[in-house]
Amino acid sequence: MPRPKAHYSVLLKNHETGEQLKLELIDLPFSSSSRTFRLRVNGRWAQKLPVASKTNVLRQLRSWWVMH
């Protein structure tokens, strides 16, 4: 089965440590009206938040940035 292509992706890099976080949002099949996406983090399917909207993803990223 081919790997689904991402609709959106975000790449974050910590320039001090060199660590990277790649976040990909993949369209859900058979879901044309709702804008929810399946999430892939560093090439693996997300466990904590497997399906989310762009708003939810950015809200999670903002809270992570504030903590770090």
Side-chain angles (χ1 to χ4, degrees):
M1 187 165 144
R3 184 179 177 131
K5 292 187 177 185
H7 191 96
Y8 297 102
S9 66
V10 177
L11 181 64
L12 300 170
K13 182 177 181 179
N14 184 338
H15 291 283
E16 292 179 3
T17 63
E19 293 181 72
Q20 288 188 350
L21 175 72
K22 184 176 182 180
L23 180 64
E24 298 171 305
L25 283 73
I26 294 105
D27 286 320
L28 288 172
F30 313 114
S31 168
S32 62
S33 61
S34 69
R35 295 311 306 167
T36 56
F37 301 91
R38 186 144 187 227
L39 303 176
R40 195 164 48 206
V41 180
N42 291 337
R44 303 178 118 188
W45 296 113
Q47 298 295 317
K48 291 184 180 179
L49 190 65
V51 176
S53 66
K54 292 181 283 187
T55 302
N56 291 343
V57 169
L58 291 176
R59 188 174 293 138
Q60 287 286 101
L61 282 174
R62 281 189 210 110
S63 68
W64 179 79
W65 274 325
V66 169
M67 288 182 1
H68 291 87

